[in-house]
Every structure is written in structure tokens, then in C-alpha cells.
């Protein structure tokens, strides 16, 4: 059964609970800053593992000391769904352990 897209209000309500995340077109996004490139790389690996566990993947970009996620649900025609917010919450839970801000 396909995941249903969230309404604009539902997206706004969920974003209010996730500081640092925003809506960029039809995706929710966040950039994390880290102390070093190695710390950023470690966060990318941890996020990739989490995405595999959820079977839900974002566009994940590694910069020198930054990690950016942009996520929507392909099964819902590229719309934002609850699956995207589940991933965002999981990443929010693990990012501080890597020193991300």
C-alpha cells in the first residue's frame, strides 16, 4: 500500500517539531555542521545505515565539514510523507553523538 502525501499543514506541524529542518520545494532538508571532515563522514555512514534499516533513502551530500539531507518519498510521487519525518527524527537522534549542530 502506497504512503499518502502529507498536507501542507501536516508538513508545517511536523517541521515545527524538528528545528533546523525546512521544506525546500517538495522535500524536507537539513544541513548539519561538524568539527571535521572525518566527523562528517562518520555521520554519513551512520545515516546510510539508518536509511538501510528503514528502507527509505534521502539525497545525502557530504561537504568538508557538512552533511546535507534532502528527502521525499518516491513511492508517493515525490511528495513528503510520514516516512520522511520518521527518517528525519532518527537522524536528529543520532546526529548529536557525532557532534553535529
Amino acid at each position: 500500500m502506497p504512503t499518502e502525501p502529507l498536507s501542507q499543514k501536516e508538513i508545517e506541524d511536523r517541521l515545527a517539531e524538528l528545528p533546523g529542518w525546512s521544506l525546500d520545494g517538495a522535500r524536507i532538508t537539513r544541513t548539519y555542521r561538524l568539527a571535521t571532515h572525518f566527523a562528517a563522514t562518520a555521520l554519513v555512514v551512520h545515516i546510510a545505515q539508518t536509511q538501510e534499516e528503514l528502507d527509505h533513502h534521502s539525497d545525502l551530500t557530504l561537504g568538508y565539514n557538512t552533511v546535507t539531507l534532502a528527502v521525499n518519498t518516491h513511492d508517493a510521487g515525490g511528495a513528503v510523507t510520514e516516512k520522511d519525518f520518521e527518517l528525519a527524527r532518527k537522524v536528529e537522534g543520532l546526529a548529536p553523538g557525532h557532534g553535529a549542530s
Side-chain angles (χ1 to χ4, degrees):
M1 182 168 155
T3 305
E4 293 300 316
L6 296 174
S7 70
Q8 186 68 29
K9 171 88 168 88
E10 290 170 321
I11 293 169
E12 291 169 5
D13 290 347
R14 285 167 176 75
L15 284 173
E17 299 169 0
L18 290 169
W21 286 84
S22 61
L23 185 63
D24 182 11
R27 305 185 304 178
I28 59 171
T29 65
R30 166 104 198 243
T31 297
Y32 294 93
R33 299 211 179 280
L34 296 101
T36 65
H37 181 68
F38 188 81
T41 302
L43 177 58
V44 165
V45 170
H46 202 165
I47 292 170
Q49 178 184 19
T50 300
Q51 291 180 144
E52 284 297 306
E53 291 166 2
L54 294 174
D55 192 27
H56 189 58
H57 303 85
S58 68
D59 288 335
L60 189 55
T61 305
L62 172 64
Y64 169 70
N65 66 341
T66 60
V67 174
T68 302
L69 285 89
V71 62
N72 60 10
T73 303
H74 300 287
D75 293 348
V80 175
T81 70
E82 185 56 41
K83 289 174 72 171
D84 305 314
F85 283 98
E86 178 184 10
L87 175 58
R89 286 188 294 272
K90 295 243 184 216
V91 172
E92 282 296 299
L94 62 87
H98 292 272
S101 61

